[in-house]
Amino acid sequence: MESGPAVFAGMTFVLFGTGLLTWTAACVRHGRPVAYGVGPVASAAIAGAFAVAALAAGTWCLTQV
């Protein structure tokens, strides 16, 4: 019974991390800002760090099943 919420949380984190990483890479590749009002390098680095953290959390949740 407890594996259902872990799978749901893990997949949510993985999907969010993948989407954020893809979006950040597309913005950087096209030279568009990742976040308005912030430096381009800082915003890409912070968004990339959050994407990697979400992927790591999702992987951890899925390995705990």
Side-chain angles (χ1 to χ4, degrees):
M1 253 353 243
E2 295 173 359
S3 64
V7 170
F8 177 76
M11 289 306 295
T12 302
F13 278 124
V14 167
L15 287 173
F16 174 75
T18 302
L20 183 60
L21 194 60
T22 303
W23 176 73
T24 302
C27 285
V28 169
R29 186 178 318 132
H30 291 24
R32 291 181 290 177
V34 177
Y36 293 108
V38 183
V41 174
S43 63
I46 292 171
F50 273 103
V52 170
L55 287 171
T59 302
W60 181 81
C61 285
L62 291 174
T63 58
Q64 299 301 313
V65 173

